[in-house]
Amino acid sequence: MQPDPRTGETGPNDVVSIERHGPIALVALDNPPVNAASHALRTGLWQAVEQLQDAPEIRAIGLYGKGRTFIAGADIREFGKPPLDPWLPDVCNFLENSAKPIACILHGTTLGGGFEIALSCHARVALKGTKAGFPEVTLGILPGAGGTQRAPRLAGMAAALDMITSGRQISAQDALDHGLVDGLSEDDPREAALQAARDMLDGKLPVRKTGALEVTHDEAALQAMRDKLAKAQPLLYSPHKCVEAVAASSQPITEGLKEERRLYNACMESPQRAGLIHAFFAERAVAKIPEAAARPRNIASIGVIGGGTMGSGIATAALLAGFPVTLSERDQAGLDRGTAAISRNLDGAVKRGKLSPEGREAILASKLATSTDLAALSQADLIIEAVFEEMNVKREIFETLDRIARPGAMLASNTSYLDINEIAAMTGRPEDVIGLHFFSPAHVMRLLEVVVAEKTSAETVATGFALAKALKKTAVRSGVCDGFIGNRIMTFYKKAADYMMMDGAAPEEIDRAMTGFGFAMGPYQVADLAGLDISWAANKRRAATRPAEERYIPIADRLCENGWFGRKSGQGFYVYDETGVRPNPAALEIIGAERGKAGITPRAFTSDEIVSRFMTAMILEATRVLEEGIALRPIDIDAVFLFGYGFPRFRGGPMHTADLIGAGELVRRIEAYAAEDSYYWRVPELLRKMSETGESFAEMNGKR
Ligand code: 3H9
């Protein structure tokens, strides 16, 4: 390759370049956006270091990354494909064995394989603001390029175990304190690399081979971590393998690396790895929307209407993100309740370490305004309505907003199921109206469904997505239907759970089966937490239009008739008191009575059957949501359930799970269940077609 005429750089390829300064060679990596250790980067790095071995004038190498970060890890897009030489572990060993010492500069997010490359160098300097860590465990794998062997050699087993099993990122200062880097710098990466190489030559920076260091075997730390993980993450595979790999680090490095490789391969083959990587890409894929090119409007102030649980949660989320908020309620008592809820939410944020006590005071003193007059929202850039789910109440509000809101303000409803088209039509500016469906508690939950009505403008949609980013939430685009993506599917699969309950499964058995599958909570734990009165109201609303063929289970309604609304009233499907939580015998009696009335002889359900029916129902309705174009792609549905419904991340989401089960098997199951209830269990056309063509949901993600 010819030297670059401007910089004098040469390089083995487009991604890696060499710049020479007397006895020092700088090797720069340039693989935007995150310098992932792709095949080109690995090849280029190997060749650059190899070339420099034969250059007699070169005595030290400075390695750094161009752009916003040093290497952020292996290239995840290569996972699952045939491996291409040179492998990252071989690159790391090659760097460590370089006769010319290499100083590595860490900056940005030096993660996974990037951190492993750094640990294989002979000295390390971290720039201010660096975050370093091993996120592999969040992808269902372990650091497989020597990280489990070299990190304990520098930081000790206990610190390495903590970082590797948690995926936690540490600061430059922490890395220095743990011995993972040798110095800090405030220079830019190139300058720092030059300086670090000079310092190695001058003896100011120690030159060591990490692999040659010894590790003190810390059985107490290993056992403590095994115990912790057995309790906290019994269903996950890779954290336990991480511990085994770190345990091997007290052996000579060649032995330890062999063990690391064996365990890494086992993780790579596990379905959890595929599920977790799917979840990683789901988080990013949802931002790819048809309106992505539109310019979001500037949101500098937010108005929230309604100080109930949702309104105060939304206001808290906005305040925590730095927005000034005006909260509006009908009367002073409502405002007082809303303000009290916001300050409780902020207390929680202080307790969780998300906010300082001074920050809390500052927010309450200067960022939050309140008013009983909607006119106080007239200058807000975004107004979010979060009042009762009653169309007439919404009408009054949106007609008023149409009069008072400034031109260009975005008008949003937090409704969970009402028709956004109808709401938009209440105004003379339907292009500014959108659904922003937050999940409770709104200042904690990651998901935001951005509900796009027929006339919503592209800028309004783009603004919804930009807002989600500012609130650190994951936005998913949804079309308009009763319940949008998430609640519509949940309402459907909840019926499958109710049918099983009516036919013989206890609520607790169903919850246990679903938490055993990996859900954070089972459907009856969720119902009790959300409040049974909420679905009671929805059941009453839907009663008039409920098709005669639909099987209806009135058990939760019976509980509500007794005033048992779940957790908030002390009992529901479970009893909640000072001794803890247990199944509610009175609920079981009601279930027995309802079965008797319906002439049902209860039968036993295994956990497998419960999971199978529950998941099949979820996938069935999700397929319809896709067929109708409510969700853009299967992966959007996965994101909704991962970030809003406690779906186990390691299973990748309902559509990823559907691909593992296979469309053919799903059709067979639905047809078998249809023998008992041919109205509920109907095969969606799309699923039938997939069973014939063999197309998967994953394949559709690329096409839509
Ligand atoms: C590993 O290293 C294994 C080794 O131990 C062993 C090997 C043998 N690969 O998140 P962003 C893409 S495991 C490929 O929006 P940010 C991403 O998809 C790896 N692509 O930016 C997106 O693409 P698009 C351990 C990657 O500033 C674009 O880059 N490493 C990778 O908010 C921008 O990403 C990790 O797990 C990758 N490694 O956050 C780190 N990383 O624009 C994973 C990103 O097409 N990455 N992309 O949608 C992250 O955590 C964040 O991306 C990071 C930047 C913090 C770096």
Side-chain angles (χ1 to χ4, degrees):
M1 216 173 181
Q2 290 301 311
D4 183 313
R6 285 162 305 143
T7 60
E9 290 176 5
T10 58
N13 61 23
D14 290 346
V15 172
V16 181
S17 59
I18 303 173
E19 193 189 337
R20 293 161 199 259
H21 289 263
I24 292 170
L26 294 183
V27 174
L29 311 172
D30 189 10
N31 186 24
V34 298
N35 273 323
S38 63
H39 180 235
L41 186 141
R42 301 194 304 274
T43 312
L45 178 55
W46 182 295
Q47 289 174 356
V49 173
E50 194 170 43
Q51 278 175 26
L52 295 169
Q53 305 299 306
D54 301 329
E57 76 286 8
I58 298 299
R59 289 171 43 224
I61 302 171
L63 173 64
Y64 73 99
K66 291 189 179 179
R68 58 172 147 140
T69 184
F70 188 65
I71 302 167
D75 190 333
I76 302 174
R77 289 171 209 276
E78 289 179 8
F79 287 9
K81 297 185 185 152
L84 293 169
D85 277 343
W87 283 11
L88 197 57
D90 296 336
V91 175
C92 288
N93 295 339
F94 183 68
L95 296 180
E96 187 165 71
N97 290 323
S98 162
K100 313 279 167 91
I102 309 172
C104 180
I105 305 305
L106 290 78
H107 88 283
T109 40
T110 300
L111 302 176
F115 201 15
E116 293 177 293
I117 286 190
L119 299 183
S120 312
C121 293
H122 305 97
R124 284 156 294 282
V125 171
L127 303 192
K128 211 174 146 205
T130 301
K131 294 277 178 202
F134 294 110
E136 284 87 345
V137 73
T138 65
L139 301 171
I141 54 174
L142 50 81
T148 65
Q149 306 304 301
R150 293 191 177 96
R153 282 176 160 74
L154 292 164
M157 270 192 178
L161 274 171
D162 174 49
M163 284 185 77
I164 292 171
T165 58
S166 69
R168 198 164 62 81
Q169 294 179 9
I170 61 170
S171 66
Q173 184 62 51
D174 281 348
L176 183 69
D177 294 345
H178 283 302
L180 290 161
V181 300
D182 308 297
L184 305 180
S185 165
E186 300 205 351
D187 283 339
D188 70 41
R190 184 182 163 282
E191 277 307 311
L194 197 54
Q195 189 58 47
R198 272 193 207 115
D199 288 347
M200 284 197 306
L201 291 179
D202 296 347
K204 292 188 197 153
L205 201 54
V207 172
R208 296 181 298 179
K209 259 192 183 187
T210 311
L213 304 174
E214 290 200 348
V215 179
T216 309
H217 197 82
D218 188 346
E219 192 51 39
L222 288 164
Q223 194 53 45
M225 188 53 82
R226 285 185 199 112
D227 294 345
K228 182 175 158 189
L229 294 174
K231 222 165 144 194
Q233 303 183 337
L235 296 176
L236 289 185
Y237 183 75
S238 75
H240 307 273
K241 300 290 149 195
C242 291
V243 181
E244 282 183 52
V246 172
S249 66
S250 50
Q251 300 175 40
I253 185 110
T254 44
E255 294 308 308
L257 287 174
K258 265 191 228 155
E259 180 65 353
E260 180 190 83
R261 178 112 306 257
R262 185 184 72 77
L263 295 163
Y264 177 82
N265 287 340
C267 290
M268 271 310 232
E269 280 159 27
S270 84
Q272 292 195 359
R273 188 270 305 162
L276 286 163
I277 287 180
H278 181 77
F280 174 87
F281 285 118
E283 223 167 317
R284 287 151 180 86
V286 288
K288 294 177 179 129
I289 51 166
E291 297 83 359
R295 235 208 17 229
R297 293 183 199 159
N298 184 37
I299 302 284
S301 61
I302 298 181
V304 176
I305 307 173
T309 312
M310 285 314 296
S312 55
I314 294 167
T316 310
L319 290 165
L320 285 171
F323 291 101
V325 173
T326 304
L327 179 71
S328 172
E329 255 289 357
R330 273 179 311 188
D331 51 29
Q332 191 56 44
L335 279 182
D336 292 345
R337 269 196 304 277
T339 319
I342 292 170
S343 54
R344 270 198 310 277
N345 292 342
L346 294 177
D347 285 343
V350 172
K351 245 188 234 151
R352 291 196 307 277
K354 303 261 178 221
L355 182 69
S356 67
E358 304 76 50
R360 175 190 180 281
E361 289 319 308
I363 285 176
L364 289 173
S366 64
K367 291 274 187 187
L368 178 64
T370 59
S371 175
T372 52
D373 186 355
L374 280 184
L377 309 182
S378 63
Q379 290 313 306
D381 299 317
L382 162 65
I383 303 174
I384 306 173
E385 164 277 313
V387 303
F388 311 117
E389 292 287 53
E390 182 63 62
M391 218 29 142
N392 285 335
V393 183
K394 311 256 181 204
R395 176 176 303 281
E396 207 184 306
I397 289 176
F398 276 85
E399 284 175 356
T400 311
L401 290 182
D402 196 22
R403 279 198 311 278
I404 58 119
R406 69 161 187 75
M410 177 163 154
L411 308 180
S413 172
N414 175 55
T415 180
S416 308
Y417 50 79
L418 294 179
D419 186 345
I420 306 287
N421 286 315
E422 202 180 326
I423 294 176
M426 294 165 187
T427 72
R429 38 172 131 176
E431 65 283 1
D432 295 335
V433 179
I434 197 165
L436 291 179
H437 183 212
F438 290 81
F439 289 72
S440 186
H443 60 295
V444 176
M445 294 293 286
R446 284 273 305 279
L447 180 63
L448 178 67
E449 279 180 328
V450 175
V451 187
V452 181
E454 274 161 25
K455 295 192 177 153
T456 310
S457 73
E459 294 82 60
T460 305
V461 179
T463 312
F465 273 73
L467 172 80
K469 201 163 180 196
L471 299 180
K472 296 199 175 69
K473 296 199 182 295
T474 301
V476 178
R477 189 189 191 281
S478 172
V480 176
C481 68
D482 189 341
F484 315 128
I485 297 176
N487 279 350
R488 167 165 163 187
I489 297 170
M490 185 180 74
T491 304
F492 187 83
Y493 67 69
K494 182 67 194 345
K495 287 180 197 163
D498 283 351
Y499 297 155
M500 289 190 273
M501 172 168 70
M502 190 70 166
D503 293 340
E508 181 209 9
E509 281 178 298
I510 297 173
D511 284 345
R512 215 177 320 118
M514 295 323 298
T515 50
F517 179 79
F519 271 93
M521 284 196 270
Y524 296 101
Q525 292 164 320
V526 171
D528 267 5
L529 183 66
L532 301 177
D533 49 327
I534 309 279
S535 41
W536 194 26
N539 290 345
K540 286 186 206 158
R541 178 175 59 87
R542 292 190 182 115
T545 53
R546 187 174 303 122
E549 310 92 304
E550 184 180 315
R551 186 180 177 201
Y552 184 69
I553 308 298
I555 292 169
D557 298 349
R558 295 287 109 83
L559 298 182
C560 290
E561 285 159 15
N562 286 310
W564 303 337
F565 297 149
R567 197 178 271 262
K568 63 182 164 195
S569 66
Q571 60 180 319
F573 287 100
Y574 295 86
V575 176
Y576 305 84
D577 60 22
E578 53 301 328
T579 62
V581 183
R582 58 187 180 283
N584 187 355
L588 294 176
E589 247 172 61
I590 289 178
I591 295 168
E594 288 300 323
R595 284 176 187 153
K597 268 194 243 164
I600 291 170
T601 311
R603 71 167 179 96
F605 283 79
T606 62
S607 292
D608 284 352
E609 184 177 1
I610 292 171
V611 170
S612 168
R613 283 175 179 258
F614 193 95
M615 286 310 303
T616 305
M618 184 185 285
I619 294 163
L620 193 167
E621 189 66 2
T623 308
R624 286 194 191 125
V625 161
L626 194 64
E627 255 175 348
E628 292 171 24
I630 301 296
L632 285 178
R633 295 150 297 215
I635 205 164
D636 293 73
I637 299 176
D638 285 336
V640 163
F641 280 87
L642 290 169
F643 304 119
Y645 292 81
F647 195 97
R649 193 174 165 100
F650 68 85
R651 293 192 188 272
M655 307 320 265
H656 182 78
T657 305
D659 277 347
L660 293 181
I661 300 171
E665 169 62 16
L666 285 161
V667 168
R668 266 192 298 283
R669 283 187 195 173
I670 296 170
E671 284 174 343
Y673 302 151
E676 314 153 4
D677 183 347
S678 60
Y679 177 76
Y680 181 81
W681 295 105
R682 277 173 294 157
V683 179
E685 213 31 60
L686 176 62
L687 200 61
R688 187 170 308 279
K689 223 170 85 203
M690 290 168 69
S691 75
E692 287 158 9
T693 61
E695 191 183 22
S696 65
F697 286 118
E699 284 162 331
M700 284 177 216
N701 285 327
K703 289 190 199 153
R704 292 176 182 225

